[in-house]
């Protein structure tokens, strides 16, 4: 037989097998043929994909934990700062009342003013600021209206008197300003 005839002659057992594996993935072909190396390779690929997924999930969980811990730390600092400032606000109120009183002793008055200035500086350094009130529009998020007065000389919902100063740190109100509102 010539070489051309040998090429044209097809083994009848191989022909159906070649038709079966056409268009079939190598993994599926490995399962059909029972090749243990390809089956083990497929198992290892699946295990690797599972381990990679577990690793990515663990990394995401750790990142979330780190962010949550940082927020909790910042929140604890802000809360402790606000509680400490709240404890000093009665001292602020008493110094404010002392400044409003008339006195003949200039040294005494100067000492109270210096103490008040120093307390305001400490509060400012801590990021605690006084809530503006007098002449401002009433805002229930920052002000506590304890009195109401009718006065045509000022606009509606305008604060005409401050009984007690309010303070905040950032967006958190430490103490609401106690005010009198017109109209």
């Amino acid at each position: 037989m010539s070489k051309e005839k040998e090429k044209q002659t097809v083994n009848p057992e191989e022909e159906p097998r070649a038709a079966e594996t056409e268009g079939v993935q190598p993994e599926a072909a490995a399962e059909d043929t029972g090749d243990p190396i390809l089956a083990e390779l497929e198992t290892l690929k699946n295990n690797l994909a599972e381990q990679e997924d577990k690793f990515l999930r663990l990394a995401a969980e750790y990142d979330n934990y780190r962010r949550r811990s940082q927020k909790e730390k910042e929140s604890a600092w802000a809360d402790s700062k606000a509680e400490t400032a709240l404890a000093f606000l009665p001292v602020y109120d008493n110094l404010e009342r002392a400044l409003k009183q008339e006195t003949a002793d200039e040294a005494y008055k100067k000492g109270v003013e210096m103490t008040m200035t120093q307390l305001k500086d400490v509060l400012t350094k801590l990021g605690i600021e006084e809530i503006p009130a007098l002449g401002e529009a009433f805002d229930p998020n920052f002000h506590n209206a304890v009195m109401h007065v009718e006065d045509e000389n000022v606009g509606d919902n305008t604060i005409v008197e401050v009984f007690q100063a309010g303070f905040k740190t950032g967006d958190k109100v430490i103490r609401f300003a106690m005010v009198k509102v017109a109209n």
Side-chain angles (χ1 to χ4, degrees), residues 6-104:
E6 285 178 17
K7 287 182 183 178
Q8 290 177 354
T9 307
V10 177
N11 187 352
E13 293 176 7
E14 291 178 3
E15 189 173 291
R17 187 172 292 246
E20 287 174 6
T21 58
E22 282 183 24
V24 177
Q25 297 295 330
E27 295 85 17
E31 291 173 11
D32 289 346
T33 60
D35 190 357
I37 295 174
L38 290 177
E40 185 178 350
L41 177 64
E42 184 62 29
T43 304
L44 290 174
K45 282 182 184 179
N46 289 339
N47 287 344
L48 178 63
E50 287 177 22
Q51 292 300 322
E52 184 178 6
D53 183 54
K54 286 180 182 179
F55 172 74
L56 291 175
R57 288 179 187 274
L58 182 64
E61 285 178 23
Y62 175 73
D63 194 40
N64 290 340
Y65 166 76
R66 187 181 50 79
R67 283 193 208 127
R68 187 175 53 249
S69 296
Q70 183 66 27
K71 282 183 182 178
E72 288 173 358
K73 181 181 173 184
E74 290 170 2
S75 175
W77 169 248
D79 289 345
S80 65
K81 186 171 56 170
E83 287 177 25
T84 303
L86 188 60
F88 281 100
L89 292 183
V91 175
Y92 180 92
D93 295 335
N94 288 333
L95 287 171
E96 200 171 54
R97 285 185 203 103
L99 286 172
K100 290 179 182 177
Q101 296 299 315
E102 292 296 324
T103 182

Side-chain angles (χ1 to χ4, degrees), residues 131-171:
I131 297 172
L134 190 60
E136 299 285 324
F138 174 75
D139 184 356
N141 296 318
F142 299 111
H143 307 118
N144 182 16
V146 293
M147 289 184 72
H148 179 77
V149 65
E150 294 292 330
D151 190 352
E152 285 78 31
N153 297 332
V154 293
D156 285 346
N157 289 329
T158 302
I159 297 170
V160 293
E161 189 176 348
V162 178
F163 298 116
Q164 192 177 50
F167 292 90
K168 66 179 182 172
T169 177
D171 293 335

